[in-house]
Coordinates of all heavy atoms in Angstrom, one line a residue:
M1 N 0.8 -1.1 0.0 CA -0.1 0.0 -0.1 C 0.9 1.2 -0.1 O 1.9 1.3 0.7 CB -0.9 0.0 1.2 CG -1.7 1.3 1.3 SD -3.4 1.0 1.9 CE -4.4 0.6 0.6
T2 N 0.5 2.2 -0.7 CA 1.3 3.4 -0.9 C 1.1 4.4 0.3 O 0.0 4.5 0.9 CB 1.0 4.2 -2.2 OG1 1.8 5.2 -2.4 CG2 -0.5 4.7 -2.3
T3 N 2.0 5.3 0.5 CA 2.0 6.3 1.4 C 1.7 7.6 0.7 O 1.5 8.6 1.3 CB 3.1 6.5 2.3 OG1 4.3 6.7 1.5 CG2 3.4 5.2 3.1
H4 N 1.8 7.5 -0.7 CA 1.6 8.7 -1.5 C 0.2 8.8 -1.9 O -0.1 8.8 -3.1 CB 2.5 8.6 -2.7 CG 4.0 8.6 -2.3 ND1 4.7 9.7 -2.2 CD2 4.8 7.5 -2.0 CE1 5.9 9.4 -1.8 NE2 6.0 7.9 -1.7
H5 N -0.7 9.1 -0.9 CA -2.2 9.3 -1.2 C -2.3 10.9 -1.0 O -1.6 11.6 -0.4 CB -3.0 8.6 -0.2 CG -2.7 8.9 1.2 ND1 -1.6 8.3 1.8 CD2 -3.2 9.8 2.1 CE1 -1.5 8.8 3.1 NE2 -2.5 9.6 3.3
P6 N -3.5 11.4 -1.7 CA -3.6 12.8 -1.6 C -4.2 13.2 -0.2 O -5.1 12.6 0.5 CB -4.8 13.2 -2.7 CG -5.5 11.7 -2.8 CD -4.5 10.7 -2.5
I7 N -3.7 14.4 0.3 CA -4.2 15.1 1.5 C -5.2 16.2 1.0 O -4.6 17.1 0.4 CB -3.1 15.6 2.4 CG1 -2.0 14.4 2.7 CG2 -3.6 16.2 3.5 CD1 -2.7 13.3 3.5
K8 N -6.4 16.0 1.2 CA -7.3 17.0 0.7 C -7.6 18.0 1.8 O -7.6 17.7 3.0 CB -8.7 16.3 0.3 CG -8.4 15.3 -0.9 CD -9.7 14.5 -1.1 CE -9.4 13.4 -2.2 NZ -10.6 12.6 -2.4
P9 N -8.1 19.2 1.6 CA -8.3 19.8 0.3 C -7.2 20.5 -0.5 O -7.3 21.0 -1.6 CB -9.4 20.9 0.7 CG -8.9 21.3 2.0 CD -8.4 20.1 2.7
A10 N -6.0 20.3 0.1 CA -4.8 21.0 -0.5 C -4.3 20.1 -1.7 O -3.5 20.6 -2.5 CB -3.6 21.2 0.5
W11 N -4.5 18.9 -1.7 CA -4.2 18.0 -2.8 C -2.6 17.8 -2.7 O -1.9 17.9 -3.9 CB -4.7 18.3 -4.2 CG -6.1 18.0 -4.2 CD1 -7.1 18.8 -3.8 CD2 -6.8 16.7 -4.7 NE1 -8.4 18.1 -4.0 CE2 -8.2 16.8 -4.4 CE3 -6.2 15.5 -5.1 CZ2 -9.0 15.8 -4.7 CZ3 -7.1 14.6 -5.5 CH2 -8.5 14.6 -5.2
T12 N -2.0 17.8 -1.6 CA -0.6 17.4 -1.5 C -0.4 15.9 -1.2 O -1.4 15.3 -0.8 CB 0.0 18.3 -0.3 OG1 -0.7 18.0 0.9 CG2 0.0 19.8 -0.6
C13 N 0.7 15.5 -1.4 CA 1.1 14.1 -1.3 C 1.3 13.7 0.2 O 2.1 14.4 0.9 CB 2.3 13.7 -2.1 SG 2.7 12.0 -1.9
G14 N 0.7 12.7 0.8 CA 0.8 12.3 2.2 C 2.2 11.7 2.2 O 2.7 11.5 3.6
G15 N 2.9 11.3 1.3 CA 4.2 10.6 1.4 C 5.4 11.6 1.3 O 6.4 11.3 2.0
C16 N 5.3 12.5 0.5 CA 6.4 13.5 0.2 C 6.1 15.0 0.2 O 7.0 15.7 0.1 CB 7.0 13.0 -1.2 SG 6.0 13.4 -2.5
A17 N 4.8 15.2 0.5 CA 4.3 16.7 0.6 C 4.3 17.4 -0.7 O 4.2 18.6 -0.7 CB 5.1 17.4 1.7
G18 N 4.7 16.8 -1.8 CA 4.6 17.4 -3.1 C 3.2 17.5 -3.7 O 2.3 17.1 -3.0
E19 N 3.0 18.1 -4.8 CA 1.7 18.1 -5.4 C 1.3 16.7 -5.8 O 2.1 15.9 -6.3 CB 1.7 18.9 -6.7 CG 1.8 20.4 -6.6 CD 1.7 21.2 -7.8 OE1 1.9 20.5 -9.0 OE2 1.4 22.4 -7.8
W20 N 0.0 16.3 -5.4 CA -0.4 15.0 -5.8 C -1.1 15.1 -7.1 O -1.8 16.0 -7.4 CB -1.4 14.5 -4.8 CG -1.8 13.1 -4.8 CD1 -1.0 12.1 -4.2 CD2 -2.7 12.4 -5.7 NE1 -1.7 10.9 -4.6 CE2 -2.6 11.1 -5.6 CE3 -3.7 12.9 -6.6 CZ2 -3.4 10.1 -6.3 CZ3 -4.5 12.1 -7.2 CH2 -4.3 10.6 -7.1
P21 N -0.9 14.0 -8.0 CA -0.1 12.8 -7.8 C 1.5 13.2 -8.1 O 1.9 13.8 -9.1 CB -0.5 12.0 -9.0 CG -1.1 12.8 -10.0 CD -1.6 14.1 -9.3
C22 N 2.3 12.9 -7.1 CA 3.7 13.2 -7.2 C 4.3 12.1 -8.2 O 3.7 11.3 -8.6 CB 4.3 13.0 -5.8 SG 4.2 11.3 -5.1
Q23 N 5.6 12.3 -8.4 CA 6.3 11.4 -9.3 C 6.2 10.1 -8.9 O 6.1 9.0 -9.7 CB 7.7 11.9 -9.5 CG 7.9 13.2 -10.2 CD 7.3 13.1 -11.6 OE1 7.4 12.2 -12.3 NE2 6.7 14.2 -12.1
I24 N 6.4 9.8 -7.6 CA 6.3 8.4 -7.1 C 5.0 7.8 -7.2 O 4.8 6.7 -7.7 CB 6.8 8.3 -5.6 CG1 8.3 8.6 -5.5 CG2 6.5 6.9 -5.0 CD1 8.8 8.8 -4.1
R25 N 4.0 8.5 -6.9 CA 2.6 8.0 -7.1 C 2.3 7.8 -8.5 O 1.5 6.8 -9.0 CB 1.6 8.9 -6.5 CG 0.1 8.4 -6.5 CD 0.1 7.1 -5.8 NE -1.2 6.4 -5.9 CZ -1.5 5.2 -5.9 NH1 -0.5 4.3 -6.0 NH2 -2.8 4.7 -6.0
R26 N 2.9 8.7 -9.5 CA 2.6 8.3 -11.0 C 3.2 7.1 -11.3 O 2.6 6.3 -12.1 CB 3.3 9.6 -11.7 CG 2.4 10.9 -11.5 CD 3.1 11.9 -12.3 NE 2.4 13.3 -12.1 CZ 2.7 14.5 -12.7 NH1 3.6 14.4 -13.6 NH2 2.1 15.4 -12.4
L27 N 4.4 6.8 -10.9 CA 5.0 5.5 -11.2 C 4.2 4.4 -10.7 O 3.9 3.3 -11.4 CB 6.4 5.5 -10.6 CG 7.6 6.4 -11.3 CD1 8.8 6.4 -10.5 CD2 7.7 5.9 -12.8
E28 N 3.7 4.5 -9.4 CA 2.9 3.5 -8.8 C 1.6 3.2 -9.6 O 1.1 2.1 -9.9 CB 2.5 3.9 -7.4 CG 3.7 3.8 -6.4 CD 3.5 4.3 -5.2 OE1 2.3 5.0 -4.9 OE2 4.2 4.0 -4.2
L29 N 1.0 4.3 -10.0 CA -0.3 4.3 -10.8 C 0.0 3.6 -12.1 O -0.8 2.9 -12.6 CB -1.0 5.6 -10.9 CG -1.5 6.3 -9.7 CD1 -1.8 7.7 -9.8 CD2 -2.8 5.5 -9.3
R30 N 1.1 4.0 -12.8 CA 1.4 3.3 -14.1 C 1.5 1.8 -13.9 O 1.0 1.0 -14.8 CB 2.7 4.0 -14.7 CG 2.4 5.2 -15.3 CD 3.6 5.6 -16.2 NE 3.7 6.9 -16.6 CZ 3.0 7.4 -17.7 NH1 2.3 6.6 -18.4 NH2 3.2 8.6 -18.0
A31 N 2.1 1.4 -12.8 CA 2.2 -0.1 -12.6 C 1.0 -0.7 -12.2 O 0.7 -1.8 -12.8 CB 3.3 -0.3 -11.5
E32 N 0.1 0.0 -11.4 CA -1.1 -0.6 -11.1 C -2.2 -0.8 -12.2 O -2.9 -1.7 -12.3 CB -1.9 0.4 -10.0 CG -1.2 0.3 -8.6 CD -1.8 1.3 -7.6 OE1 -3.0 1.6 -7.8 OE2 -1.0 1.9 -6.9
Y33 N -2.1 0.3 -13.1 CA -3.0 0.3 -14.3 C -2.2 -0.2 -15.5 O -2.6 0.3 -16.7 CB -3.6 1.7 -14.4 CG -4.6 2.0 -13.4 CD1 -4.2 2.6 -12.2 CD2 -5.9 1.6 -13.5 CE1 -5.1 3.0 -11.2 CE2 -6.8 2.0 -12.5 CZ -6.5 2.6 -11.4 OH -7.5 2.9 -10.4
D34 N -1.2 -0.9 -15.4 CA -0.3 -1.3 -16.6 C -1.1 -1.8 -17.8 O -0.9 -1.4 -18.9 CB 0.7 -2.4 -16.1 CG 1.6 -2.7 -17.3 OD1 2.0 -1.7 -18.0 OD2 1.9 -3.9 -17.4
H35 N -2.1 -2.6 -17.6 CA -2.8 -3.1 -18.8 C -4.3 -2.5 -18.9 O -5.1 -3.0 -19.6 CB -3.0 -4.6 -18.6 CG -1.7 -5.3 -18.7 ND1 -0.8 -5.4 -19.8 CD2 -0.9 -6.0 -17.8 CE1 0.2 -6.0 -19.5 NE2 0.2 -6.4 -18.2
A36 N -4.4 -1.4 -18.2 CA -5.8 -0.7 -18.2 C -5.6 0.8 -18.4 O -6.0 1.6 -17.5 CB -6.5 -1.1 -17.0
P37 N -5.0 1.3 -19.5 CA -4.8 2.8 -19.5 C -6.1 3.6 -19.5 O -6.0 4.8 -19.0 CB -4.0 3.0 -20.8 CG -4.3 1.7 -21.5 CD -4.6 0.6 -20.5
V38 N -7.1 3.1 -20.0 CA -8.4 3.8 -19.9 C -8.9 4.0 -18.6 O -9.4 5.0 -18.1 CB -9.4 3.2 -20.9 CG1 -10.8 3.8 -20.8 CG2 -9.0 3.3 -22.4
S39 N -8.7 2.8 -17.8 CA -9.2 3.0 -16.4 C -8.4 3.9 -15.6 O -8.8 4.6 -14.8 CB -9.1 1.5 -15.7 OG -9.9 0.6 -16.4
L40 N -7.0 4.0 -15.9 CA -6.3 4.9 -15.2 C -6.7 6.4 -15.6 O -6.8 7.2 -14.7 CB -4.7 4.9 -15.6 CG -3.8 5.8 -15.2 CD1 -3.7 6.0 -13.7 CD2 -2.4 5.7 -15.8
T41 N -7.0 6.6 -16.8 CA -7.4 8.0 -17.2 C -8.8 8.4 -16.6 O -9.0 9.4 -16.1 CB -7.6 8.0 -18.8 OG1 -6.3 7.8 -19.3 CG2 -8.1 9.4 -19.1
L42 N -9.6 7.3 -16.5 CA -11.0 7.6 -15.8 C -10.7 7.9 -14.3 O -11.4 8.8 -13.7 CB -11.9 6.4 -16.1 CG -12.4 6.3 -17.5 CD1 -13.2 5.0 -17.5 CD2 -13.3 7.4 -17.8
Y43 N -9.9 7.1 -13.7 CA -9.6 7.3 -12.2 C -9.1 8.9 -12.1 O -9.6 9.6 -11.2 CB -8.7 6.3 -11.7 CG -8.1 6.6 -10.4 CD1 -8.9 6.6 -9.2 CD2 -6.8 7.1 -10.2 CE1 -8.4 6.9 -8.1 CE2 -6.2 7.4 -9.0 CZ -7.1 7.4 -7.9 OH -6.6 7.6 -6.7
L44 N -8.1 9.2 -12.8 CA -7.4 10.4 -12.7 C -8.5 11.6 -13.1 O -8.3 12.6 -12.5 CB -6.2 10.5 -13.5 CG -5.0 9.7 -12.9 CD1 -3.9 9.6 -14.0 CD2 -4.6 10.2 -11.7
A45 N -9.3 11.4 -14.1 CA -10.3 12.4 -14.5 C -11.2 12.6 -13.3 O -11.6 13.8 -13.0 CB -11.1 12.0 -15.6
A46 N -11.6 11.6 -12.5 CA -12.4 11.7 -11.4 C -11.7 12.5 -10.3 O -12.2 13.5 -9.6 CB -12.9 10.5 -10.8
Q47 N -10.4 12.3 -10.1 CA -9.7 13.0 -9.1 C -9.4 14.4 -9.5 O -9.6 15.4 -8.7 CB -8.3 12.3 -8.9 CG -8.3 11.0 -8.5 CD -9.0 10.8 -7.1 OE1 -8.7 11.5 -6.2 NE2 -10.0 9.8 -7.1
F48 N -9.3 14.7 -10.8 CA -9.2 16.0 -11.5 C -10.5 16.8 -11.1 O -10.4 18.0 -10.6 CB -9.0 15.9 -13.0 CG -9.2 17.2 -13.7 CD1 -8.1 18.2 -13.6 CD2 -10.3 17.4 -14.4 CE1 -8.3 19.4 -14.3 CE2 -10.4 18.7 -15.2 CZ -9.4 19.6 -15.2
V49 N -11.7 16.2 -11.3 CA -12.9 17.0 -10.9 C -13.0 17.3 -9.5 O -13.3 18.5 -9.2 CB -14.1 16.2 -11.4 CG1 -15.4 16.7 -11.0 CG2 -14.2 16.0 -12.9
D50 N -12.6 16.4 -8.6 CA -12.5 16.7 -7.2 C -11.6 17.8 -6.8 O -11.9 18.7 -6.2 CB -12.2 15.4 -6.3 CG -13.3 14.4 -6.3 OD1 -14.5 14.7 -6.7 OD2 -13.1 13.3 -6.0
A51 N -10.5 17.7 -7.3 CA -9.4 18.7 -7.1 C -9.8 20.0 -7.6 O -9.5 21.1 -7.0 CB -8.0 18.3 -7.7
A52 N -10.4 20.1 -8.8 CA -10.8 21.5 -9.4 C -11.8 22.1 -8.4 O -11.8 23.3 -8.4 CB -11.4 21.2 -10.7
Q53 N -12.7 21.4 -7.7 CA -13.5 21.9 -6.8 C -12.8 22.6 -5.6 O -13.1 23.6 -5.0 CB -14.6 21.1 -6.3 CG -15.5 20.6 -7.5 CD -16.5 19.5 -7.1 OE1 -16.4 18.9 -6.1 NE2 -17.4 19.1 -7.9
D54 N -11.8 21.8 -5.1 CA -11.0 22.3 -3.9 C -10.0 23.4 -4.3 O -9.7 24.1 -3.4 CB -10.3 21.0 -3.3 CG -11.3 20.0 -2.6 OD1 -12.3 20.4 -2.2 OD2 -10.9 18.9 -2.5
L55 N -9.5 23.3 -5.5 CA -8.3 24.2 -5.9 C -8.9 25.2 -6.9 O -8.2 25.4 -8.0 CB -7.2 23.3 -6.3 CG -6.7 22.3 -5.4 CD1 -5.6 21.5 -6.1 CD2 -6.1 23.0 -4.2
A56 N -10.0 25.8 -6.7 CA -10.6 26.7 -7.7 C -9.6 27.8 -8.0 O -9.8 28.4 -9.1 CB -11.9 27.3 -7.0
H57 N -8.6 28.2 -7.2 CA -7.7 29.3 -7.4 C -6.7 28.9 -8.4 O -5.8 29.7 -8.9 CB -7.1 29.7 -6.1 CG -6.4 28.7 -5.4 ND1 -7.1 27.7 -4.7 CD2 -5.1 28.5 -5.3 CE1 -6.1 26.9 -4.1 NE2 -4.9 27.3 -4.5
V58 N -6.4 27.5 -8.7 CA -5.5 27.1 -9.6 C -6.1 27.0 -10.9 O -7.1 26.5 -11.2 CB -5.0 25.7 -9.2 CG1 -3.9 25.1 -10.0 CG2 -4.4 25.6 -7.6
P59 N -5.1 27.6 -12.0 CA -5.6 27.4 -13.4 C -6.0 26.1 -13.8 O -5.3 25.2 -13.5 CB -4.5 28.1 -14.1 CG -3.8 28.8 -13.1 CD -3.9 28.2 -11.8
A60 N -7.1 25.9 -14.6 CA -7.6 24.6 -15.0 C -6.5 23.9 -16.0 O -6.3 22.7 -15.8 CB -8.9 24.7 -15.8
G61 N -5.8 24.7 -16.7 CA -4.7 24.1 -17.5 C -3.6 23.4 -16.7 O -3.1 22.4 -17.0
H62 N -3.3 24.1 -15.6 CA -2.2 23.5 -14.6 C -2.8 22.2 -14.0 O -2.1 21.1 -14.1 CB -1.9 24.3 -13.6 CG -1.0 23.9 -12.6 ND1 0.3 23.7 -12.8 CD2 -1.2 23.4 -11.2 CE1 0.9 23.1 -11.8 NE2 -0.1 22.9 -10.7
L63 N -4.1 22.2 -13.5 CA -4.6 21.0 -13.0 C -4.7 19.9 -14.1 O -4.4 18.7 -13.8 CB -6.1 21.3 -12.4 CG -6.0 22.1 -11.1 CD1 -7.4 22.3 -10.7 CD2 -5.3 21.4 -10.0
H64 N -5.1 20.2 -15.2 CA -5.3 19.2 -16.3 C -4.0 18.5 -16.5 O -3.8 17.3 -16.5 CB -5.8 19.8 -17.6 CG -6.0 18.8 -18.6 ND1 -4.9 18.6 -19.6 CD2 -7.0 18.0 -19.0 CE1 -5.4 17.6 -20.4 NE2 -6.6 17.2 -20.0
H65 N -2.9 19.4 -16.6 CA -1.6 18.8 -17.0 C -1.1 17.9 -15.7 O -0.5 16.9 -15.9 CB -0.5 19.9 -17.2 CG 0.8 19.4 -17.4 ND1 1.3 18.7 -18.5 CD2 1.9 19.4 -16.5 CE1 2.5 18.3 -18.5 NE2 3.0 18.8 -17.1
R66 N -1.3 18.4 -14.6 CA -1.0 17.7 -13.3 C -1.7 16.4 -13.2 O -1.1 15.4 -12.8 CB -1.3 18.7 -12.1 CG -1.1 18.1 -10.7 CD -1.4 19.2 -9.7 NE -1.6 18.7 -8.4 CZ -1.8 19.3 -7.4 NH1 -2.0 20.7 -7.5 NH2 -2.0 18.8 -6.2
F67 N -3.0 16.3 -13.5 CA -3.6 15.0 -13.2 C -3.8 14.2 -14.4 O -3.8 13.0 -14.3 CB -5.1 15.4 -12.8 CG -5.2 15.8 -11.3 CD1 -5.0 17.1 -10.9 CD2 -5.4 14.8 -10.4 CE1 -5.0 17.5 -9.6 CE2 -5.5 15.2 -9.0 CZ -5.2 16.5 -8.7
L68 N -3.9 14.7 -15.7 CA -4.0 14.0 -16.9 C -2.9 14.1 -17.9 O -2.7 13.2 -18.7 CB -5.4 14.3 -17.5 CG -6.6 14.0 -16.7 CD1 -7.7 14.7 -17.1 CD2 -6.8 12.5 -16.5
G69 N -2.3 15.1 -17.9 CA -1.3 15.4 -19.1 C -0.1 14.5 -19.0 O 0.5 14.2 -20.1
W70 N 0.3 13.8 -17.9 CA 1.4 12.9 -18.0 C 1.1 11.5 -18.3 O 2.0 10.7 -18.5 CB 2.0 12.9 -16.5 CG 1.0 12.5 -15.4 CD1 0.2 13.2 -14.7 CD2 0.9 11.1 -15.0 NE1 -0.6 12.4 -13.9 CE2 -0.2 11.2 -13.9 CE3 1.4 9.9 -15.2 CZ2 -0.6 9.9 -13.3 CZ3 1.0 8.8 -14.7 CH2 0.0 8.9 -13.7
T71 N -0.2 11.2 -18.5 CA -0.7 9.8 -18.8 C -0.4 9.4 -20.2 O -0.5 8.2 -20.6 CB -2.1 9.6 -18.5 OG1 -3.0 10.5 -19.3 CG2 -2.3 9.9 -17.0
R72 N -0.1 10.3 -21.1 CA 0.1 10.0 -22.6 C 1.4 9.3 -22.8 O 2.3 9.3 -22.2 CB 0.0 11.2 -23.4 CG -1.4 11.9 -23.2 CD -1.5 13.0 -24.0 NE -2.8 13.6 -23.8 CZ -3.3 14.8 -24.3 NH1 -2.7 15.2 -25.4 NH2 -4.4 15.2 -24.0

């Protein structure tokens, strides 16, 4: 089990205090969803929507890149 879970409403990483998903969590997610890239994108899209509500002051483009842009 990972320690790199999101701490809400700030959306920081519980493992390293960086922006969630941090680099370590991204690697973990890639491994967890290795054969299910669409499921990974759907999971992160749901997290993106939740984060957008909590982080209304953060530009949407930044949040999109942070949550979904790295999955390609």
Side-chain angles (χ1 to χ4, degrees):
M1 175 144 276
T2 186
T3 60
H4 295 271
H5 57 280
I7 303 298
K8 299 175 185 178
W11 288 87
T12 55
C13 177
C16 65
E19 288 186 340
W20 193 90
C22 65
Q23 290 299 323
I24 293 170
R25 188 61 182 137
R26 289 177 184 189
L27 291 172
E28 292 173 345
L29 286 167
R30 282 195 191 276
E32 288 174 35
Y33 290 89
D34 184 40
H35 298 292
V38 173
S39 294
L40 173 60
T41 302
L42 290 171
Y43 168 72
L44 289 170
Q47 300 303 305
F48 168 75
V49 169
D50 287 346
Q53 293 172 353
D54 291 335
L55 303 174
H57 61 283
V58 178
H62 175 76
L63 289 177
H64 180 270
H65 178 72
R66 177 174 159 181
F67 283 85
L68 296 163
W70 61 272
T71 61
R72 296 180 188 190

